[in-house]
Amino acid sequence: MAKILLLEDDAVLAGQLKTMLTRGGHDTALFEDATSAIQHIEQEQVDIVIADLFITKNGKFVPDGGIMLNSNIRQLRGASIPVIAISGSFSEMHGTHATTTAKTVGATAILAKPFHPDALLQMVSTQLETHQAAS
Amino acid sequence: MLGGLSDPTPFPWPEHVGFVDAETMHPLDASADPLQRALSGNRLHKETHLLRRVNDSDPKRYVRVDSARLEAENSEPLVVLVIDDVSNEERNRQVVERKSRLDALGQLTGGIAHDFNNLLTSLLYSVVLAGRTDDAVERNENLKEAENSINRARSLTARLLTFARKQPGLADGRSVQKIFGDFERLIRPMMEASIDIQMEADDSDLVVYADQTQLESALLNLVLNSRDAILRAGKGNRIQIRARPMPSSREGGAPAADDEKHFRFVEISVTDNGPGMDEETLARATDPFFTTKDTNSGTGLGLAMVYGFARQSEGDLRIYSEEGVGTTIQLTLPRGAEEGQREEPVVDDEIVPGQGQTILIVEDEFHILSVTSKLLREIGYDVITAASGQEAFELTEAGTSFDLLLSDVVMPGKVGGFELAKRVRKIRPNVPVIYMSGYTGFTASEMGEVIAPLLQKPSPPADLSRALADALKGA
């Protein structure tokens, strides 16, 4: 069981992701924007982060998403927490750009939407194992 | 063209020949039919229509129609119609327009794909969750959620399709209010939060007479250009879309002198406070295939298409750009009447004459300087000219007398319009000032010490004469 921080602005999807992660045996804290997620990391123990790279509010892209969260995690905790970046923008025309951005800000893994629930659970355990082996 | 007809004129209109709607292929209503309108006294001016000859299996022809009514006593109504076959031209244009529309669509898709992938993920989760539970209530909740995702996805694709499916058609009249409302719904979700979009119209009842599908593409191209310039340069945060009435499409807004009546226009401008263009970019901006974007994100056809659309609509396109300040692109299009037709020619707006006062005009572009001087002399002012801010300031320092300063804003050299006004006011504290600029994105704080009216170039003579009279009245 791991303590997971989940950043996802789509309320329906966020609930579903949380349900699946909980069933996978994890303890999941859910946030809709990077600002509140960062506060959580400052105060609580977090083993792994799952973050939506691009967050929209009222239909417009806002900077308060996974990119901001990632850069803050690296400043706060160095490389101590693995981060899975999820986004719907990896595979189309801005795809290479989004992937590069994710790597640059320090994501350790990337998952393109849409993904199967099992793929996410699988990636969470792989990331945790790799990370433990490394540290 | 009328099916081998060679009767001596005048002859009755052949029954089997008619004008049809380009989308539905049904005969046009009497209110839109060029023949009916010409017979009822309207003068048609280069209107494009689709002509059906003989029968439905015969290929339709795009034609350009001009008309004039003949006055003859004791006779049925007589009109002269000039019908040009423009089918090839029109079909080529439609192909190119379609290509440019698909390019713009590609740019929109990025944002929509992101939302769509979110919905697909949610759908996948709902289905998997429903399949893995034995609890009927939970299963139903998940299936309900799946249905919701599908409905949301459907409205997304509907939005894309509405844009993609529209065919370039023929000119039609639509109010600025409607154009702006529809366009805002299309563009708003695609814009970054860091860019503020403003839309304003001097008169929201203004009707624009153009192919509305192409107009939407054109606006989309202009706004995406502004957005890309702002994002690429990391400079700027504002895009303004404005509409105002214009008496003419020509430079300086002046109609030809011997024209008693003339067509009026509507100008729609897109202004950003992005990086602006350097001279080389500006000179090549409307060239086909010229692009400043990455090789895989722009084809260089956008602005060329917008220009083509403007010319083909009998309007015009002008670009004003100041490096480091921003860009204004003005699209001038014919003004429409309420019934969806082009507006009939009208008589000029009234000019407010001058009373022999002296105006100091400062303008670095010789052509505009001479046109403006000529106009002001004609309407009763004395004129002194200066080709730069520095020259105007030296004239003022030397004690040259004038009653009003009319100055361009951005000029080469150290003294721009705002700085000039500041210096002039130190010597002549009460002299009225009017700024003029093609780039209209300036804010009051950018004007600095001297806040004054800003006239948009090209300024219609009636507007300019009113602005001068108002400013001088206050002095």
Side-chain angles (χ1 to χ4, degrees):
Chain A
M1 194 200 80
K3 284 186 180 300
I4 299 180
L5 184 149
L6 172 64
L7 172 68
E8 171 59 61
D9 60 321
D10 185 312
V12 175
L13 179 58
Q16 292 171 328
L17 288 170
K18 187 173 172 174
T19 307
M20 267 308 186
L21 291 167
T22 310
R23 288 192 188 174
H26 302 292
D27 181 6
T28 311
L30 172 63
F31 297 92
E32 279 181 21
D33 57 56
T35 313
S36 51
I38 292 162
Q39 280 173 2
H40 181 81
I41 292 181
E42 283 171 339
Q43 287 153 15
E44 307 285 334
Q45 190 212 322
V46 171
D47 299 323
I48 184 168
V49 169
I50 301 171
D52 190 356
L53 269 197
F54 303 104
I55 295 274
T56 55
K57 273 189 181 157
N58 301 323
K60 296 169 91 173
F61 287 104
V62 294
D64 207 9
I67 293 175
M68 177 169 150
L69 176 62
N70 261 13
S71 350
N72 275 275
I73 289 173
R74 295 304 164 224
Q75 277 171 18
L76 286 170
R77 295 285 170 89
S80 68
I81 307 177
V83 176
I84 301 174
I86 55 177
S87 174
S89 296
F90 285 134
S91 45
E92 35 80 37
M93 59 183 275
H94 304 298
T96 19
H97 180 61
T99 312
T100 317
T101 310
K103 296 275 189 198
T104 311
V105 295
T108 44
I110 289 164
L111 200 54
K113 288 178 186 173
F115 49 80
H116 194 279
D118 293 343
L120 179 61
L121 282 172
Q122 181 61 45
M123 188 173 265
V124 168
S125 21
T126 321
Q127 282 291 307
L128 285 169
E129 278 165 27
T130 318
H131 194 71
Q132 272 158 11
S135 57
Chain B
M1 191 188 307
L2 299 180
L5 200 77
S6 54
D7 293 354
T9 54
F11 56 79
W13 183 262
E15 258 176 49
H16 53 269
V17 179
F19 295 95
V20 295
D21 186 291
E23 252 173 63
T24 63
M25 294 294 162
H26 293 313
L28 287 175
D29 293 343
S31 65
D33 186 64
L35 187 63
Q36 298 297 332
R37 288 174 33 244
L39 282 170
S40 60
N42 289 295
R43 192 176 175 284
L44 309 184
H45 183 74
K46 294 200 169 114
E47 290 184 9
T48 309
H49 290 282
L50 195 56
L51 185 79
R52 184 188 63 118
R53 303 177 300 171
V54 194
N55 58 48
D56 279 333
S57 61
D58 185 54
K60 315 272 182 300
R61 302 247 134 215
Y62 281 99
V63 290
R64 198 158 287 158
V65 188
D66 282 278
S67 82
R69 197 172 165 186
L70 288 182
E71 302 293 341
E73 275 180 43
N74 303 325
S75 144
E76 289 185 68
L78 288 177
V79 285
V80 178
L81 285 177
V82 180
I83 304 177
D84 280 329
D85 187 342
V86 291
S87 298
N88 287 341
E89 194 182 310
E90 185 64 21
R91 295 216 163 88
N92 285 342
R93 185 186 66 73
Q94 292 187 4
V95 169
V96 181
E97 146 71 12
R98 185 130 193 92
K99 163 93 178 83
S100 138
R101 198 165 177 80
L102 288 175
D103 285 347
L105 192 65
Q107 297 215 37
L108 281 178
T109 320
I112 290 184
H114 174 267
D115 292 355
F116 202 84
N117 279 334
N118 260 354
L119 291 170
L120 281 180
T121 314
S122 182
L123 183 60
L124 195 51
Y125 269 71
S126 304
V127 171
V128 171
L129 283 166
R132 286 184 187 174
T133 182
D134 293 328
D135 182 48
V137 176
E138 195 190 330
R139 188 167 52 238
N140 282 341
E141 276 174 7
N142 280 307
L143 289 177
K144 186 77 205 154
E145 209 49 78
E147 198 182 325
N148 285 344
S149 299
I150 292 170
N151 285 334
R152 280 160 68 200
R154 200 160 59 186
S155 77
L156 263 185
T157 45
R159 208 164 75 202
L160 263 186
L161 286 176
T162 321
F163 181 80
R165 195 184 288 145
K166 283 183 194 163
Q167 298 282 347
L170 301 174
D172 189 13
R174 189 175 296 175
S175 76
V176 163
Q177 187 175 24
K178 176 111 179 46
I179 295 169
F180 277 14
D182 289 350
F183 185 64
E184 187 161 12
R185 271 190 289 282
L186 176 72
I187 197 78
R188 187 72 77 180
M190 306 305 154
M191 296 308 280
E192 282 70 11
S194 56
I195 299 177
D196 183 24
I197 289 219
Q198 300 164 357
M199 298 196 182
E200 50 183 280
D202 285 6
D203 170 4
S204 59
D205 291 334
L206 274 176
V207 175
V208 180
Y209 179 75
D211 176 348
Q212 300 296 332
T213 307
Q214 286 194 67
L215 174 56
E216 188 180 58
S217 291
L219 285 177
L220 185 65
N221 266 303
L222 295 181
V223 169
L224 289 176
N225 278 348
S226 286
R227 181 198 70 170
D228 291 348
I230 288 174
L231 292 181
R232 200 173 51 247
K235 181 196 172 305
N237 56 8
R238 196 174 64 232
I239 301 175
Q240 289 164 296
I241 306 170
R242 283 194 57 199
R244 62 168 180 155
M246 286 294 282
S248 159
S249 72
R250 280 181 281 271
E251 187 84 36
D258 55 351
D259 243 354
E260 198 179 299
K261 284 185 167 185
H262 57 88
F263 286 109
R264 293 193 295 178
F265 291 79
V266 179
E267 178 195 281
I268 299 182
S269 62
V270 176
T271 298
D272 64 64
N273 62 348
M277 301 180 213
D278 59 31
E279 271 185 34
E280 195 199 332
T281 309
L282 189 56
R284 299 188 58 194
T286 57
D287 289 0
F289 305 111
F290 176 75
T291 181
T292 57
K293 300 177 189 179
D294 295 348
T295 43
N296 48 8
S297 71
T299 58
L301 282 175
L303 208 47
M305 268 307 306
V306 179
Y307 182 65
F309 160 65
R311 297 301 300 180
Q312 175 253 331
S313 308
E314 301 213 343
D316 205 356
L317 177 112
R318 272 184 288 268
I319 307 175
Y320 295 88
S321 192
E322 307 292 355
E323 205 174 352
V325 180
T327 300
T328 294
I329 300 208
Q330 297 173 343
L331 189 57
T332 320
L333 294 168
R335 192 157 161 176
E338 276 174 19
E339 307 81 41
Q341 307 302 336
R342 185 172 187 173
E343 189 190 64
E344 297 287 315
V346 295
V347 191
D348 256 341
D349 267 6
E350 212 169 303
I351 301 259
V352 187
Q355 320 268 323
Q357 299 101 322
T358 305
I359 313 290
L360 171 57
I361 310 177
V362 192
E363 168 64 65
D364 62 303
E365 279 174 61
F366 177 75
H367 172 67
I368 299 182
L369 184 65
S370 70
V371 169
T372 313
S373 312
K374 184 162 169 276
L375 172 76
L376 292 193
R377 287 200 180 96
E378 271 172 22
I379 67 174
Y381 290 102
D382 278 338
V383 171
I384 303 169
T385 62
S388 71
Q390 184 62 35
E391 187 186 332
F393 177 60
E394 282 165 12
L395 283 171
T396 314
E397 259 191 326
T400 307
S401 158
F402 57 91
D403 300 302
L404 184 144
L405 171 68
L406 176 63
S407 175
D408 188 13
V409 175
V410 185
M411 293 176 283
K414 284 185 185 150
V415 188
F418 300 149
E419 173 67 19
L420 173 65
K422 186 177 118 186
R423 292 192 188 182
V424 165
R425 281 278 176 90
K426 289 232 163 74
I427 300 168
R428 302 272 314 276
N430 296 318
V431 76
V433 173
I434 295 177
Y435 299 121
M436 50 185 180
S437 177
Y439 172 73
T440 48
F442 297 109
T443 57
S445 65
E446 282 167 314
M447 287 188 188
E449 280 182 28
V450 184
I451 313 274
L454 176 67
L455 280 180
Q456 186 171 346
K457 278 191 222 168
S459 182
D463 290 2
L464 176 59
S465 76
R466 237 184 343 262
L468 288 173
D470 287 350
L472 287 164
K473 201 160 43 183

